[in-house]
């Protein structure tokens, strides 16, 4: 089974547009939406939910006010400033460590489970899909990403699919790391703006840190061709292949308004660009997956 | 007065609004709290200098004292310590720095050391009326919130502070906007923008922060965001049309108010309106 994650560093460069199009082009794939705190893929793929899984993240402290003597020992011990001077827990700041429960001399604090979101296994017009919804302001987005990826793997096994295509979140932190660890390749979608370039460089470093091969797609390449050239020479220096360049176009917005993927919506320049991007990504994925297998000790030489 | 710029969906124009608003006002501080991918500095010419490291206190085990009882590992909610019959292992990258293991160890075998997960920087040269700080999370580090908290310690509450928040609705967003007097949500009127705006509205309502909406690229997509704002009684603070000139300036790292000075007045008016809302809140 091969796994690809689409990331970008910077938000709004076109990850979901491109991943949704891949869903409609791939013949043998499971789609996983791992941008769990602002998931949008379902707006295009319209999944029918087969199974729902409750997700409990980290626990949260609860104070029994009838037992609390307001001594403040918990407040002093809390490293996350999540207990107010009135000795009330701020559930958004609480990281569920349990130190307050441990130090409370009155046994007034206990750690309780909290529902932090839901994960779903679904079916779409293009095949199976794993996705989720994180509760507002929840902590454990990385853990929920891991659950979505687990569900995607199960779906791939159940339906005999060979590729998992993961729509990743923006940024470089916990949910990005959880989205890319152990995949065969990442596709970084960037744009020729100074912000796009800056964020591309950081997210390529993150992929390198976890030893994951990366390829790059420049979206809206024609809004600043000089910057696009900068991206190409940066990639050349780093030995990263630029596998696609897509023009600035209103097709993605128009397709989104009709809840379609770009390739379903039109056959124009943008869509043909996405199609050749997918072919290149598929080739790269096979190559990197082969290399990965090549790293393993060879037991049987055919 | 502390004003955050947030969005739900990425790439809607948070940084554009934060930078241009800061440049339209006098005597203002700007904090880039998108510590995973900070971009504000790209729009100013100045160099940055390091102010401090952001550290997390992670456990160090004295192997002579440890008797492998496993209490630390049992207590740790983050799986950052594993204890085997004759071995103990610490995984610093998973540690949140709560200090629980040091408290529960019956042998007093655990002490703590600082591990750097990011840095705080500020503008090196004088930048006129602007004070700029940003946080930067180290590559490969998962936890952005401690860097954001450290960054916000530099807010001077006597001045206006503008906070550029990260995208999404998870913990780094709460860390960035939780303590604000007002929140500006930047969106675009597309299905993705609209969907993520509703999530962001849930966040600010839960946190009880007064807020308004800026519709960026307001002439693409449809009118659903505006209709929604009217129905929900949410003020639309500003609309910015889809202007290839603005997009081009953005791509070059040029704040558009510096080339289109007529916008400064629009930002100032929005700021005055926000200030009056905050003052009303204080009275209530």
């Amino acid at each position: 089974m091969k796994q690809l994650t689409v990331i970008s560093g910077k938000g709004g460069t076109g990850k979901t547009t491109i991943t949704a199009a891949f869903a409609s082009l791939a013949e043998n794939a499971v789609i996983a939406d791992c941008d769990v705190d602002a998931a949008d893929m379902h707006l295009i793929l319209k999944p029918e939910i087969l199974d729902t899984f409750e997700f409990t993240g980290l626990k949260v402290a609860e104070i029994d006010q009838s037992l609390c003597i307001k001594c403040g020992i918990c407040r002093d011990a809390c490293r996350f400033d999540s207990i107010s001077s009135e000795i009330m827990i701020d559930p958004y700041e609480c990281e569920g460590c349990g130190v307050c429960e441990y130090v409370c001399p009155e046994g007034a604090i206990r750690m309780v489970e909290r529902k932090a979101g839901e994960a779903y296994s679904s079916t779409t017009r293009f095949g199976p899909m794993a996705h989720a919804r994180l509760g507002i302001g929840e902590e454990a987005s990385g853990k929920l990403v891991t659950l979505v990826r687990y569900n995607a793997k199960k779906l791939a096994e159940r339906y005999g699919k060979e590729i998992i295509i993961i729509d990743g979140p923006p940024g470089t932190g916990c949910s990005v790391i959880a989205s890319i660890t152990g995949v065969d390749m990442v596709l970084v979608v960037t744009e020729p703006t100074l912000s796009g370039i800056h964020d591309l460089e950081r997210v390529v470093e993150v992929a390198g840190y976890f030893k994951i091969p990366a390829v790059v797609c420049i979206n809206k390449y024609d809004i600043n061709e000089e910057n696009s050239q900068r991206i190409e020479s940066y990639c050349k220096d780093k030995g990263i292949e630029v596998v696609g360049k897509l023009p600035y176009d209103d097709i993605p917005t128009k397709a989104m308004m009709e809840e379609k993927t770009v390739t379903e919506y039109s056959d124009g320049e943008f869509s043909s660009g996405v199609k050749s991007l997918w072919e290149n990504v598929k080739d790269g994925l096979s190559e990197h997956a082969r290399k990965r297998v090549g790293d393993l000790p060879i037991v049987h030489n055919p | 007065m502390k004003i955050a710029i947030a969005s739900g969906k990425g790439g809607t124009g948070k940084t554009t609004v934060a930078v241009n608003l800061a440049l339209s006002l006098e005597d203002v501080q700007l904090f880039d709290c998108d510590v995973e991918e900070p971009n504000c500095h790209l729009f100013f010419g100045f160099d940055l200098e390091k102010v401090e490291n952001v550290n997390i206190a992670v456990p160090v085990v004295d192997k002579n004292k440890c008797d492998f009882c496993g209490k630390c590992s049992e207590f740790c909610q983050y799986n950052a310590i594993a204890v085997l019959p004759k071995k103990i292992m610490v995984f610093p990258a998973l540690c949140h720095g709560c200090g629980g293991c040091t408290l529960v160890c019956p042998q007093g075998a655990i002490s703590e050391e600082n591990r750097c997960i990011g840095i705080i920087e500020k503008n090196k040269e004088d930048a006129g009326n602007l004070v700029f700080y940003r946080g930067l999370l180290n590559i490969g580090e998962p936890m952005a919130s401690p860097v954001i908290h450290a960054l916000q310690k530099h807010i001077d509450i006597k001045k206006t502070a503008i906070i550029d928040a990260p995208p999404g609705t998870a913990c780094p967003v709460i860390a960035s906007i939780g303590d604000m007097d007002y929140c500006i949500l930047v969106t675009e009127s597309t299905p993705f923008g609209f969907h993520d705006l509703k999530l962001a509205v849930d966040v600010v309502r839960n946190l009880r922060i007064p807020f308004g909406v800026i519709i960026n690229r307001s002439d693409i997509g449809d009118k659903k965001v505006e209709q929604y704002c009217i129905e929900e009684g949410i003020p639309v603070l500003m609309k910015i049309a889809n202007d290839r000139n603005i997009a081009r300036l953005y791509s070059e790292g040029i704040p558009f108010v510096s080339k289109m000075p007529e916008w400064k007045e629009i930002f100032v008016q929005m700021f005055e309106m926000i200030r009056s809302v905050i003052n009303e809140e204080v009275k209530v």
Side-chain angles (χ1 to χ4, degrees):
Chain A
M1 197 186 304
K2 288 173 279 198
Q3 296 187 71
L4 167 78
T5 305
V6 183
I7 49 174
S8 65
K10 177 168 159 41
T13 59
K15 283 182 298 298
T16 305
T17 295
I18 287 170
T19 314
F22 286 178
S24 58
L25 296 169
E27 277 148 16
N28 215 355
V30 174
I31 300 298
D33 188 353
C34 286
D35 188 0
V36 293
D37 61 319
D40 288 331
M41 181 74 82
H42 62 281
L43 299 173
I44 302 295
L45 299 190
K46 304 261 149 203
E48 242 176 75
I49 294 169
L50 303 173
D51 294 306
T52 300
F53 306 87
E54 190 160 298
F55 171 67
T56 48
L58 294 166
K59 289 179 179 170
V60 62
E62 208 176 72
I63 299 182
D64 183 338
Q65 294 297 343
S66 68
L67 296 175
C68 175
I69 56 164
K70 311 277 174 195
C71 66
I73 291 174
C74 56
R75 186 165 191 255
D76 293 340
C78 176
R79 298 255 177 104
F80 308 109
D81 293 333
S82 40
I83 303 175
S84 69
S85 47
E86 297 86 33
I87 315 299
M88 305 286 273
I89 303 283
D90 179 345
Y92 291 115
E93 293 295 336
C94 176
E95 300 207 7
C97 68
V99 164
C100 55
E101 179 189 38
Y102 181 79
V103 299
C104 176
E106 301 297 317
I109 305 181
R110 58 189 196 110
M111 303 305 296
V112 295
E113 297 274 353
R114 65 169 149 190
K115 187 179 167 186
E118 276 181 349
Y120 315 101
S121 286
S122 300
T123 167
T124 75
R125 63 189 182 281
F126 305 120
M129 171 174 173
H131 51 124
R133 185 175 172 158
L134 185 71
I136 296 297
E138 286 294 343
E139 186 73 35
S141 54
K143 277 190 181 170
L144 184 53
V145 166
T146 305
L147 177 59
V148 171
R149 288 188 58 192
Y150 174 82
N151 287 340
K153 226 171 202 169
K154 289 279 155 211
L155 284 167
E157 281 162 13
R158 196 195 311 172
Y159 295 100
K161 301 289 179 186
E162 281 162 11
I163 305 179
I164 297 176
I165 304 173
I166 299 163
D167 189 16
T172 63
C174 102
S175 51
V176 173
I177 294 170
S179 299
I180 67 172
T181 42
V183 303
D184 297 287
M185 188 174 91
V186 295
L187 168 65
V188 185
V189 180
T190 188
E191 60 177 37
T193 62
L194 290 193
S195 307
I197 295 170
H198 172 269
D199 296 357
L200 163 73
E201 292 180 7
R202 273 179 59 86
V203 85
V204 161
E205 277 185 61
V206 174
Y209 184 92
F210 293 100
K211 300 192 169 56
I212 302 161
V215 293
V216 164
C217 166
I218 309 172
N219 195 8
K220 309 176 209 170
Y221 76 89
D222 49 350
I223 56 168
N224 189 327
E225 304 222 15
E226 250 177 270
N227 280 341
S228 284
Q229 274 165 18
R230 270 184 63 190
I231 295 173
E232 289 190 70
S233 57
Y234 163 80
C235 288
K236 204 175 165 197
D237 285 350
K238 293 273 168 188
I240 295 168
E241 195 186 343
V242 176
V243 288
K245 281 162 71 177
L246 301 171
Y248 182 80
D249 204 321
D250 58 359
I251 293 295
T253 307
K254 285 183 172 158
M256 197 196 291
M257 305 297 297
E258 296 199 7
E259 298 169 349
K260 286 179 174 162
T261 70
V262 285
T263 44
E264 277 180 301
Y265 179 79
S266 99
D267 288 327
E269 190 195 348
F270 192 89
S271 295
S272 55
V274 172
K275 281 178 193 160
S276 73
L277 171 67
W278 171 239
E279 290 304 317
N280 291 340
V281 165
K282 247 191 336 192
D283 290 348
L285 192 56
S286 303
E287 197 182 311
H288 288 297
R290 215 172 23 244
K291 274 188 203 152
R292 185 194 59 177
V293 174
D295 290 340
L296 300 171
I298 297 165
V299 182
H300 173 71
N301 208 342
Chain B
M1 182 168 28
K2 294 182 282 187
I3 302 170
I5 324 290
S7 75
K9 176 167 158 45
T12 56
K14 284 180 296 302
T15 301
T16 299
V17 168
V19 166
N20 286 293
L21 174 60
L23 287 173
S24 302
L25 303 176
E26 301 288 324
D27 203 21
V28 67
Q29 312 163 83
L30 176 62
F31 294 86
D32 195 340
C33 288
D34 187 359
V35 303
E36 297 178 40
E37 292 287 19
N39 290 147
C40 286
H41 65 288
L42 299 169
F43 295 85
F44 303 106
F46 48 68
D47 290 326
L48 300 170
E49 65 183 358
K50 187 165 111 176
V51 178
E52 65 193 3
N53 282 333
V54 180
N55 297 313
I56 285 193
V58 299
V60 184
V61 182
D62 182 339
K63 303 226 155 93
N64 296 319
K65 288 186 186 165
C66 175
D67 64 357
F68 310 104
C69 72
K71 291 214 166 69
C72 54
S73 162
E74 213 174 280
F75 186 86
C76 179
Q77 295 293 314
Y78 316 109
N79 303 317
I81 301 188
V83 180
L84 302 171
K86 286 282 164 222
K87 201 174 175 191
I88 177 161
M89 283 177 295
V90 177
F91 304 99
L94 299 178
C95 174
H96 286 218
C98 72
C101 53
T102 57
L103 288 174
V104 301
C105 177
Q107 304 299 325
I110 304 180
S111 56
E112 291 178 304
E113 69 178 3
N114 277 338
R115 192 174 79 85
C116 176
I117 62 159
I119 56 169
I120 305 297
E121 293 176 312
K122 69 181 293 243
N123 53 319
K124 202 169 179 181
E125 301 102 57
D126 180 39
N129 282 323
L130 181 74
V131 176
F132 175 73
Y133 281 88
R134 73 159 184 175
L136 187 67
L137 182 68
N138 288 348
I139 294 294
E141 287 296 338
M143 281 187 293
S145 298
V147 181
I148 296 166
H149 285 303
L151 176 60
Q152 294 203 351
K153 294 225 159 79
H154 295 277
I155 295 177
D156 176 354
I157 50 160
K158 292 193 287 294
K159 284 190 188 175
T160 298
I162 294 165
I163 277 83
D164 190 11
T169 62
C171 51
V173 176
I174 305 295
S176 301
I177 72 171
D179 204 21
M180 294 293 129
D181 298 309
Y182 195 91
C183 191
I184 298 172
L185 301 176
V186 186
T187 189
E188 54 186 38
S189 201
T190 61
F192 290 0
F194 183 34
H195 175 263
D196 296 352
L197 171 67
K198 285 185 280 187
L199 297 176
V201 166
D202 267 358
V203 173
V204 289
R205 281 189 174 151
N206 266 292
L207 295 170
R208 298 197 175 83
I209 301 169
F211 67 101
V213 166
I214 290 182
I215 307 174
N216 194 9
R217 295 187 275 270
S218 55
D219 45 350
I220 65 165
D222 56 24
K223 296 281 165 215
K224 282 193 182 141
V225 165
E226 210 173 341
Q227 279 164 14
Y228 164 81
C229 288
I230 293 167
E231 282 159 23
E232 295 282 323
I234 299 166
V236 175
L237 303 166
M238 188 187 285
K239 288 198 254 180
I240 305 170
N242 188 34
D243 181 336
R244 215 169 156 125
N245 197 18
I246 291 178
R248 173 83 199 182
L249 290 169
Y250 175 84
S251 78
E252 293 168 358
I254 301 169
F256 72 82
V257 292
S258 69
K259 299 283 172 193
M260 305 156 97
E262 66 277 15
W263 277 92
K264 276 196 180 179
E265 188 51 37
I266 300 173
F267 277 103
V268 169
Q269 278 171 12
M270 178 182 78
F271 174 74
E272 291 304 332
M273 205 222 80
I274 290 170
R275 175 149 62 187
S276 65
V277 171
I278 295 172
N279 290 339
E280 279 301 308
E281 288 281 323
V282 173
K283 274 185 227 154
V284 175

